[in-house]
Amino acid sequence: MSIRRLTVQGHDWTVTERTGERGIYDFEWLTGPHPYGFTAGMLGDGLMNEADLESAIADFLAQINPETGYLD
């Protein structure tokens, strides 16, 4: 199992590649206002590089309502 810790836009995350599911990643928002996370992956069995992981997090954060801390 591969676990990474990333900081994107001032928010800390852990990113875990799922065991036995190549190219599927679980993201956990460590510094968010609520326990939150999401799952992402590449088509096929491609692996996400660090830029892909950061982009997935930035896309998720763009959907968060800054007043509530939840997805719009």
Side-chain angles (χ1 to χ4, degrees):
M1 178 184 322
S2 171
I3 299 174
R4 297 181 194 185
R5 187 173 176 128
L6 297 174
T7 300
V8 176
Q9 299 175 4
H11 298 275
D12 295 329
W13 295 79
T14 56
V15 181
T16 306
E17 184 178 3
R18 287 189 184 174
T19 302
E21 295 184 64
R22 182 176 169 84
I24 303 296
Y25 300 85
D26 293 312
F27 297 74
E28 181 182 2
W29 192 2
L30 301 175
T31 56
H34 311 287
Y36 233 150
F38 67 98
T39 299
M42 301 293 279
L43 294 175
D45 65 353
L47 298 177
M48 296 176 82
N49 61 33
E50 191 156 326
D52 295 327
L53 297 171
E54 290 175 357
S55 179
I57 291 169
D59 290 345
F60 176 85
L61 289 172
Q63 299 175 60
I64 295 294
N65 181 322
E67 293 179 20
T68 65
Y70 289 106
L71 288 170
D72 276 338

